[in-house]
Amino acid sequence: MTATERIAPPLTGGEREMLRGFLDYHRATLAVKCDGLTDEELRLQSSPPSTLSLLGLVRHMAEVERTWFRRVINKEDVPLVWSPEGDFQAAYDAREADRAEAFAAWEAEVEHARRIEREAESLDVTGYMPRWESEVSLRLVMLHLIHEYARHNGHADFLRESIDGEVGA
């Protein structure tokens, strides 16, 4: 349960560098919100019957990274991590999960995503998103992930504050 290093995103630079920086900043923000908490605290639910918890958010973001980068952009035929049936909601239910498993999966998916992004010729590389029935660019994927993390980091703020009173990011 070490403190996560979080590097501020760049204030100037090219489009790809800026997208990378903001995405990594938001990834680190989620980890910061989990720093110093026990498995039990990470599993605490926001307001039952909702199963939303910090650990559930980490698991969900592993699925999001996997889907958008590996399945959509890289066209890999891989199932979801926690639901071979493709149920994205399954990741949120972390009642029986532990930090080590969730963070190992999330960190592995982040590394896959970084590799796929680095190896892509440009932000104009596309992949097919079945749910949207459309081709999407790597640019859109990175923007979508930034949005997804930012939204869930807002949830993480409230979850963390309800656990131990810690506020701010």
Side-chain angles (χ1 to χ4, degrees), residues 20 36 46 50 87-88 91 93 98 117 122 139 144 152 154 163 166 168:
R20 239 183 235 151
S46 59
S50 169
D87 178 6
F88 279 91
D93 188 356
D98 64 68
E117 184 273 321
S122 75
R139 177 183 292 102
H144 181 73
H152 288 313
I163 293 167
E166 184 74 25

Side-chain angles (χ1 to χ4, degrees), residues 40-169:
E40 183 179 328
E41 290 169 323
L42 288 170
R43 284 190 298 267
L44 288 174
Q45 298 171 0
S46 59
S47 56
S50 169
T51 59
L52 186 63
S53 66
L54 285 168
L55 205 52
L57 287 175
V58 170
R59 287 164 45 107
H60 171 69
M61 291 313 298
E63 299 287 32
V64 169
E65 296 267 5
R66 183 180 188 97
T67 295
W68 285 98
F69 284 98
R70 292 179 67 189
R71 295 173 68 170
V72 173
I73 293 297
N74 220 36
K75 300 167 181 67
E76 294 179 38
D77 185 18
V78 292
L80 295 180
V81 180
W82 286 283
S83 174
E85 301 80 33
D87 178 6
F88 279 91
Q89 298 304 310
Y92 282 119
D93 188 356
R95 290 176 288 190
E96 304 297 321
D98 64 68
R99 169 193 290 274
E101 175 196 34
F103 273 85
W106 178 59
E107 290 164 359
E109 294 305 328
V110 166
E111 285 311 308
H112 281 296
R114 286 182 177 137
R115 176 187 49 78
I116 291 164
E117 184 273 321
R118 278 191 317 269
E119 292 175 359
E121 269 181 44
S122 75
L123 294 172
D124 295 322
V125 166
T126 62
Y128 185 75
M129 174 40 121
R131 196 164 117 212
W132 293 359
E133 299 180 354
S134 183
E135 290 287 320
V136 296
S137 68
L138 177 58
R139 177 183 292 102
L140 177 127
V141 168
M142 292 181 76
L143 286 166
H144 181 73
L145 267 281
I146 292 166
H147 167 261
E148 184 92 1
Y149 272 104
R151 189 164 52 92
H152 288 313
N153 284 338
H155 300 138
D157 284 339
F158 287 119
L159 287 162
R160 180 62 189 250
E161 185 176 4
S162 73
I163 293 167
D164 65 0
E166 184 74 25
V167 295

